[in-house]
Amino acid sequence: MVRLLTPTVIVGLAWAGVTTAAEHSEDRHHFSLQLALSYTSASTPLVSWTEGGVGKLRYDENNDGFTGARAFAEYRGQITPTLSVTAIADYVDDASAGLDLTEAYLSWLPVPKSPNRTQWRFGAFYPPVSLENTGTGWSSPYTRSYSAINTWIGEEVRVFGAEWSMRRRLGGPASPHRLRFLAAGFYGNDPAGTLVTFKGWSLHDRQTRLYDELPLPNGNALRPFLKIDQQPGYYAGLEWRYAKLLLIRAIHYDNRADPNEFSGGEWGWDTRFNHIGTQVQGPWQLGIVAQWLQGNTVWILGATPGGQIVGSGPLISTDFESSFVLLTRQLKGHRFSVRYDDFDVSDGTGQVDNGHGWTLAYQYKATPRITVGAEWLSLDTWHPRWSFLGLNPSATERQLQLGVSIRLGK
Amino acid sequence: MSVTDRNGKPVADVVVYATPRGPAPAKSDPRATAVMDQVSRQFKPRVLVVETGTLVEFPNSDAVSHHVYSFSAAKRFELPLYRGTAYSPVLFDKPGIVVLGCNIHDSMLGYIAVVDSPHFNFTDSKGRATLTGLAPGDYAVQVWTPRSREDLAPRRLRVAASDDAAPVVDFQFEAKLFPPFDPGQGSLTWSDY
C-alpha cells in the first residue's frame, strides 16, 4: 500500500487516463510557447542558481539576450462524465533540458446529491497554495516571474497523493457565501525546504518538473519530490468566497519527513508551513492578490543532498517567511500589474537571506493566441554568508524581460 | 403588482404568479415547452418560470461541455456531459423551485420556478409586474426571487368581472436581500482547482 503511490505509478495511471480520454470528444488541450529577450544586472558578480550559483533570478549577466523560457502542453480529458485527467508537460531551456511533467492527476467530481459538493484529486499536483498561478500550466496571468512564495512552491513543493475537498453554499443556493474544506495525504516531497535553506527565496518562472535534478550552491543536486521515509505528509485548509469579490484561503502543510532518514541520495527535511492568501476584486476594476507564508524546516547538519551519508550532526531549524501584494488592472487587451515581495530566511545564527523586490509588468493581448509583454524586476537582498564566497553580502539584482507567449489548442 | 425591499426600494426580476383558488382549470394539450439555454458558462435565462407539466429543453450553446444537474425535491435529474442538444426535454411535473448546477463549472447557477398557473411574470426595474388573462375569481398571488432569504406569505387577489382598473397587490421583503447577480467582469482570474 505504501508503495502504491510512487511517482512512476501515478504518472503511469495518468498516462493511461490520457490515452483513454483521448478517444473522448470532450478533451481540451493547450500548447504554449514563451520566448523572451532577457537582460540582467547585479551589483556583485552573481551566477544564476539554475547554474549552481546563488543568484536569485533564472538568468544572470552571462545569459543576456534570447531565452526560450518555457514550452508547455496542458491536456485535460474526460474519461467518464465525472472523472477527468490532467497532465502538464514542460520543456525548459536550461541544463536539465528535455520533456518532463509538472503535474499529472485524476479529478473525480461526483454529481452532488445535496448542497455539499465534493471533489477528489489523485496523482501528482500542487497543493492549492498559489492564488497567483491561476493560468494554464500553472502560469501567472499577471506577471512572467512569480512572487517569492509561488516561485518556491514551483521549485520545491509537489505532492504524490490524494486530495479531498468539499464546498458548501452557506444560506441557500443563491447565497454568495461559499465555504470549502480541503485535506490531502501524500507521499514524497520529503526534501522540500533544502533549496530555500541553501539558496534562499527567488523570483522566476521555472517550475521544477517531477523528475528534475536542481543544482545547489554547494555543488550537489537536489530532487525535491523524492519519497525518503514511510511517513505520509498532509495538508489541510479552509476557503471562504464571497461572490466574485473576495476569496480567502488558509492552508497548513507538513511533509512529516524524518530528518534522520537518507534515501536515494537525499535526506529528509521536516518541513511545515502555514499559508494564508486572498484575492479581492476592488474598485476601479482593480484586482488584488496577497499571500503570506511562514514555514520551518528541521534538517541534519552535514546533510549533503546528492552526496555521501555524512549526517549524524546536530539538527538545525531554519525558519522562512515571505509575503507579497499584487495589484492588477485589465483594460480591454491591456493588463498592468505591480507586485511587492518581502522575504526572509533565518536559523540559529540569525538571518541568512533577507530582501524585498518590486515587479512591474505590462501585457498586451495582440490576438487571442498571442500576448506580448514587458517586465521589470528589482531585488535588494542581504546574505551575510555570501562574504565566504567572495561576494558582497548586500546585492541588487535587476532584470528586464520583453516576451511573447503563443498559445495553440482549444 | 409591486415588489419592494425592506427599505421600500423596487426589486427587479422577481417572479410574480397568481394561482387560482379552487379546482384547477384543465391544462392545455399538447404540453408547453420552454428553453433553458447555456451561454458563456451561464444559464440563460438565469430564472425560468414554467407551469407545472411543462417540458424544458436544455441546449448547450457553448463550445465547452456542461453537465446539468439538480438535487431539488421538485425535480432530481442529471444530463451528463454534453454539447448542443444531446438530450430530450425534461418534464417538470411538480411545483417548486428547481436549482440547476453544472458539475463542471461550479459557478453556473440557474433556477426553474415551477408554478401551478399559467399567470406569471417578472417585475421590471420599477419593481412592477402585470398579470394578464386572469378570469374573474379568487387567486393566491405569490412572489419568488433567488435573492430572498424568506418566503413571503401568499396574498389574496379577487378579480371581479366588472373590474375596469386592475387590482394592485404590494409585496415587501423584510429580510435583507442577497446582492443581484453579477457576472463578474473583473481583473482577476479566480483560483479554482
Side-chain angles (χ1 to χ4, degrees):
Chain A
M1 185 63 203
V2 168
R3 289 268 160 205
L4 203 62
L5 288 171
T6 63
T8 322
V9 169
I10 283 166
V11 172
L13 280 174
W15 194 252
V18 168
T19 47
T20 315
E23 291 160 18
H24 249 261
S25 58
E26 316 297 349
D27 67 322
R28 289 198 290 128
H29 49 267
H30 288 276
F31 176 77
S32 177
L33 181 64
Q34 301 181 346
L35 308 170
L37 288 170
S38 176
Y39 300 94
T40 308
S41 71
S43 61
T44 188
L46 292 172
V47 172
S48 166
W49 76 273
T50 58
E51 296 182 7
V54 292
K56 296 190 159 292
L57 304 176
R58 190 172 159 184
Y59 310 106
D60 56 37
E61 291 168 311
N62 303 317
N63 316 116
D64 277 353
F66 176 79
T67 62
R70 188 184 181 201
F72 73 87
E74 173 170 326
Y75 176 81
R76 269 172 197 263
Q78 295 291 149
I79 300 167
T80 75
T82 60
L83 188 68
S84 67
V85 61
T86 302
I88 301 164
D90 253 74
Y91 172 84
V92 288
D93 180 17
D94 60 28
S96 55
L99 200 63
D100 194 348
L101 296 167
T102 51
E103 291 188 281
Y105 57 88
L106 299 172
S107 301
W108 182 46
L109 278 151
V111 176
K113 294 195 164 36
S114 76
N116 300 332
R117 180 179 191 257
T118 54
Q119 176 180 334
W120 289 86
R121 291 200 293 170
F122 306 95
F125 47 81
Y126 282 105
V129 170
S130 176
L131 300 181
E132 181 186 33
N133 299 67
T134 51
T136 51
W138 208 75
S139 60
S140 165
Y142 313 115
T143 58
R144 181 171 281 264
S145 306
Y146 315 146
S147 63
I149 291 176
N150 297 320
T151 298
W152 177 64
I153 298 288
E155 283 173 354
E156 284 206 286
V157 181
R158 217 69 48 83
V159 300
F160 298 97
E163 179 195 75
W164 165 90
S165 71
M166 186 191 79
R167 78 105 179 90
R168 185 181 175 85
R169 288 198 164 89
L170 297 177
S175 164
H177 297 276
R178 286 201 291 162
L179 205 57
R180 188 172 188 174
F181 305 90
L182 63 113
F186 62 87
Y187 285 105
N189 212 191
D190 287 330
T194 312
L195 202 56
V196 74
T197 297
F198 283 180
K199 164 185 73 84
W201 297 94
S202 281
L203 274 80
H204 59 79
D205 65 338
R206 191 197 184 287
Q207 299 174 37
T208 306
R209 288 94 49 90
L210 298 181
Y211 297 98
D212 265 349
E213 282 202 359
L214 303 176
L216 286 171
N218 64 5
N220 289 314
L222 169 72
R223 285 181 291 163
F225 310 139
L226 277 189
K227 175 172 159 299
I228 311 288
D229 58 36
Q230 306 297 327
Q231 291 199 116
Y234 75 94
Y235 61 83
L238 188 64
E239 174 187 302
W240 173 55
R241 228 177 245 237
Y242 181 82
K244 286 189 172 176
L245 292 172
L246 175 71
L247 181 152
I248 296 175
R249 188 186 296 155
I251 285 183
H252 175 76
Y253 164 104
D254 189 345
N255 70 355
R256 297 178 74 238
D258 182 348
N260 291 300
E261 284 282 331
F262 180 86
S263 171
E266 303 286 351
W267 288 88
W269 290 58
D270 187 11
T271 298
R272 62 199 70 189
F273 64 77
N274 290 312
H275 169 267
I276 187 159
T278 185
Q279 288 183 302
V280 184
Q281 182 59 55
W284 309 296
Q285 282 279 98
L286 201 61
I288 303 161
V289 183
Q291 292 181 229
W292 171 80
L293 184 147
Q294 186 184 48
N296 168 266
T297 185
V298 173
W299 53 292
I300 195 163
L301 188 66
T304 57
Q308 305 291 313
I309 305 181
V310 295
S312 80
L315 290 179
I316 309 277
S317 173
T318 299
D319 295 318
F320 47 96
E321 182 174 1
S322 178
S323 55
F324 76 86
V325 177
L326 180 147
L327 302 180
T328 185
R329 188 160 193 248
Q330 191 167 23
L331 262 179
K332 293 179 181 164
H334 305 268
R335 182 189 280 284
F336 301 88
S337 305
V338 56
R339 184 183 59 217
Y340 177 76
D341 279 272
D342 188 76
F343 48 84
D344 183 77
V345 180
S346 53
D347 58 23
T349 67
Q351 278 182 338
V352 294
D353 178 58
N354 178 273
H356 62 267
W358 285 97
T359 308
L360 301 175
Y362 165 72
Q363 291 173 358
Y364 174 62
K365 199 166 188 176
T367 79
R369 301 202 179 281
I370 297 176
T371 302
V372 292
E375 177 175 303
W376 180 82
L377 191 157
S378 174
L379 275 179
D380 286 306
T381 54
W382 186 72
H383 324 254
R385 290 180 192 165
W386 280 10
S387 45
F388 300 123
L389 304 168
L391 297 166
N392 187 337
S394 174
T396 299
E397 289 166 85
R398 297 216 165 106
Q399 178 182 267
L400 175 70
Q401 291 194 78
L402 306 169
V404 57
S405 295
I406 302 156
R407 286 169 65 115
L408 299 169
K410 62 165 186 173
Chain B
M1 316 296 149
S2 98
V3 182
T4 52
D5 66 11
R6 59 178 182 165
N7 300 320
K9 292 197 173 141
V11 186
D13 303 321
V14 176
V15 178
V16 181
Y17 59 102
T19 320
R21 294 191 167 199
K27 281 186 184 134
S28 55
D29 204 58
R31 279 185 167 127
T33 60
V35 176
M36 176 57 98
D37 203 350
Q38 297 147 67
V39 182
S40 304
R41 300 188 185 193
Q42 293 295 343
F43 285 104
K44 191 180 173 183
R46 188 164 156 82
V47 180
L48 176 72
V49 197
V50 298
E51 187 179 3
T52 311
T54 301
L55 288 163
V56 178
E57 289 177 45
F58 291 86
N60 172 4
S61 300
D62 282 337
V64 296
S65 298
H66 295 307
H67 186 149
V68 178
Y69 71 91
S70 173
F71 52 80
S72 300
K75 186 73 190 181
R76 288 173 191 274
F77 74 105
E78 186 188 336
L79 304 176
L81 216 59
Y82 69 102
R83 276 181 277 195
T85 48
Y87 296 103
S88 349
V90 178
L91 177 65
F92 288 79
D93 52 2
K94 266 197 276 184
I97 302 300
V98 180
V99 182
L100 305 171
C102 169
N103 199 39
I104 308 294
H105 308 100
D106 197 33
S107 60
M108 286 173 67
L109 202 50
Y111 307 87
I112 299 182
V114 187
V115 298
D116 279 334
S117 165
H119 309 293
F120 51 76
N121 206 344
F122 287 93
T123 56
D124 59 17
S125 57
K126 291 176 179 157
R128 291 177 186 282
T130 308
L131 298 180
T132 54
L134 296 179
D138 270 353
Y139 294 85
V141 183
Q142 283 166 278
V143 294
W144 182 82
T145 168
R147 294 178 56 198
S148 171
R149 296 166 207 251
E150 63 195 324
D151 285 329
L152 293 187
R155 304 282 296 274
R156 193 171 171 187
L157 172 72
R158 165 160 288 184
V159 180
S162 60
D163 273 354
D164 291 333
V168 173
V169 181
D170 297 324
F171 288 89
Q172 183 165 26
F173 290 106
E174 284 163 20
K176 193 181 173 192
L177 294 171
F178 288 126
F181 173 69
D182 174 6
Q185 296 297 320
S187 290
L188 291 172
T189 307
W190 292 92
S191 169
D192 217 336
Y193 54 92

